[in-house]
Amino acid sequence: MRATYHRHILEFKRPSGTSRGVLHTKETWFITIYKDGKQGIGECGILRSLSIDDRADYEEKLQWTCAHIHLGVAKLWEALLEFPSIQFGVEMAFKSLASNDPYVLHPSLFTAHKDAISINGLIWMGAKDFMKSQINEKLAAGFHCIKLKIGAIDFEEEIALLAYIRSQFSKEVIEIRVDANGAFAVDDALDKLRRLSIFDLHSIEQPIRQGQIVAMQQLCSNTPLPIALDEELIGVFHTADKEALLTRIRPHYIILKPSLIGGYRGTNEWIAIAERLGIGWWITSALESNIGLNAIAQFTYTLASPMPQGLGTGGLYTNNIESPLYIDQGALYYNTTKQWESTIPSS
């Protein structure tokens, strides 16, 4: 058994705005395992400035992982505790290697093209007119759940956008989620949540910056709008610490990005704790290529969550890996008649 890795730079079709700035490219890494004439591929989907493993020794750790691939997935996962994106890449690559089809990691009705995954339509931050045009596109495309990233433009303009949507569609027709990415100040966060709550929103993700545990707990206790933790979960490695965090804050939901929280195993740990505490959850991709998105989607389907998931990022790039994944009427499908791109690009 041997393994190799290489880097690929994904290029956005159009600049994508978040509260941390505008994204033009996205770096990702692929790890490939070879054994007995077969190969398995996994994606280490690091998000610079957000991933806890955005470290100077990241590539060195990839080299170490490939040199020690013989240890197997369980031992490597433990050894890579502080590198969750590599943990997930390793899990993915071993599942790919063990499969008869290296891209069917979790066989199901989804991979047989007999069922789909309901997803939310993502609205990127930008000028009001740009965001309004995205909203109209998603609604015309048949989405019944949309997610708006807020916190980058004037709050009054964001309020006006939400008012526009609700003037056209009730909560029974369109579910609205918003994601502040930690943009609100602690001092006025509760007031902003009160103002947002009149629009019958499903939830708000990470209203204040992560790490402010007391303030977040107080928000969750007093909010008129359900709060979902997202960035708050990053860098919490041990099961006891995960339980302590959720027990203390008591959010309404948690949002799980496998590339940021330790892959399948890390995600399953968070879900088990959340369900014991009566906390809801859903899964979201983290701007991976179609390799990572495919692994996340197949895994997500096996969990049988009835909620729309955050898996609509496959069409963001000009140089993504061609895959059988496609979106229709607000749902993600796997087309068994379409082949994967034969060569994974490197750069």
Side-chain angles (χ1 to χ4, degrees):
M1 182 185 293
R2 65 184 182 89
T4 61
Y5 72 90
H6 70 268
R7 187 176 74 152
H8 180 53
I9 302 298
L10 294 157
E11 299 174 357
F12 282 87
K13 292 177 180 177
R14 58 188 181 190
S16 299
T18 74
S19 61
R20 296 183 181 84
V22 177
L23 303 174
H24 297 272
T25 61
K26 161 67 170 64
E27 170 190 359
T28 199
W29 298 78
F30 296 114
I31 185 167
T32 307
I33 305 175
Y34 305 87
K35 182 182 181 183
D36 299 334
K38 295 181 64 179
Q39 67 181 55
I41 186 165
E43 180 172 358
C44 305
I46 189 172
L47 264 179
R48 295 295 182 184
S49 82
L50 181 59
S51 296
I52 194 68
D53 46 11
D54 179 10
R55 296 167 33 164
D57 61 344
Y58 188 82
E59 186 171 0
E60 180 183 327
K61 186 58 68 170
L62 278 170
Q63 293 173 343
W64 180 91
T65 301
C66 289
H68 294 82
I69 202 69
H70 61 277
L71 293 176
V73 65
K75 289 184 178 178
L76 285 171
W77 196 94
E78 295 289 350
L80 294 165
L81 196 62
E82 296 182 3
F83 292 84
S85 65
I86 304 180
Q87 286 177 316
F88 189 31
V90 167
E91 287 180 322
M92 205 185 303
F94 271 98
K95 277 197 168 290
S96 174
L97 181 69
S99 176
N100 292 327
D101 180 333
Y103 298 106
V104 177
L105 312 185
H106 306 269
S108 67
L109 292 177
F110 174 71
T111 57
H113 202 198
K114 294 179 179 178
D115 201 1
I117 302 169
S118 176
I119 63 173
N120 62 237
L122 182 60
I123 310 299
W124 290 93
M125 291 177 177
K128 181 179 177 181
D129 287 345
F130 171 59
M131 293 184 73
K132 190 172 180 180
S133 70
Q134 291 181 81
I135 292 166
N136 287 330
E137 288 173 8
K138 296 299 183 187
L139 298 179
F143 281 88
H144 300 288
C145 176
I146 59 173
K147 171 182 164 180
L148 282 77
K149 286 187 171 290
I150 63 173
I153 64 175
D154 180 75
F155 185 66
E156 298 304 324
E157 292 189 10
E158 292 169 340
I159 289 288
L161 278 170
L162 292 168
Y164 162 73
I165 300 172
R166 277 294 174 246
S167 72
Q168 305 294 312
F169 303 97
S170 69
K171 66 178 181 179
E172 287 76 26
V173 177
I174 294 293
E175 179 179 289
I176 304 174
R177 302 169 176 175
V178 294
D179 182 2
N181 285 126
F184 295 169
V186 171
D187 291 346
D188 65 358
L190 186 57
D191 180 61
K192 287 183 174 179
L193 294 181
R194 287 174 177 145
R195 294 190 63 194
L196 289 168
S197 67
I198 67 172
F199 299 109
D200 293 319
L201 305 184
H202 173 271
S203 58
I204 181 169
E205 297 179 31
Q206 204 70 43
I208 61 173
R209 180 174 44 82
Q210 69 268 34
Q212 303 177 93
I213 305 301
V214 173
M216 186 67 85
Q217 184 274 325
Q218 291 174 345
L219 273 183
C220 288
S221 296
N222 296 290
T223 180
L225 175 62
I227 290 175
L229 299 188
D230 182 357
E231 289 91 341
E232 205 75 61
L233 311 185
I234 297 171
V236 185
F237 301 124
H238 300 286
T239 304
D241 294 332
K242 295 173 184 179
E243 185 144 16
L245 179 74
L246 295 189
T247 301
R248 177 79 180 276
I249 296 179
R250 293 283 175 165
H252 303 82
Y253 300 98
I254 58 172
I255 297 167
L256 303 158
K257 295 184 171 78
S259 290
L260 303 184
I261 58 169
Y264 300 130
R265 181 171 162 184
T267 300
N268 280 327
E269 286 183 357
W270 279 111
I271 289 173
I273 296 166
E275 290 186 342
R276 284 201 302 272
L277 296 174
I279 296 168
W281 57 268
W282 68 88
I283 293 178
T284 298
S285 53
L287 301 180
E288 297 86 358
S289 77
N290 278 333
I291 296 292
L293 176 61
N294 176 61
I296 295 168
Q298 292 185 26
F299 168 64
T300 299
Y301 182 82
T302 67
L303 300 175
S305 170
M307 300 178 67
Q309 308 294 304
L311 304 174
T313 57
L316 295 176
Y317 305 115
T318 61
N319 60 338
N320 207 340
I321 292 88
E322 288 295 318
S323 81
L325 297 170
Y326 72 97
I327 295 172
D328 185 46
Q329 295 295 303
L332 183 68
Y333 291 82
Y334 190 96
N335 183 358
T336 54
T337 65
K338 184 174 181 180
Q339 299 299 309
W340 281 84
E341 189 172 328
S342 57
T343 303
I344 305 300
S346 61
S347 55

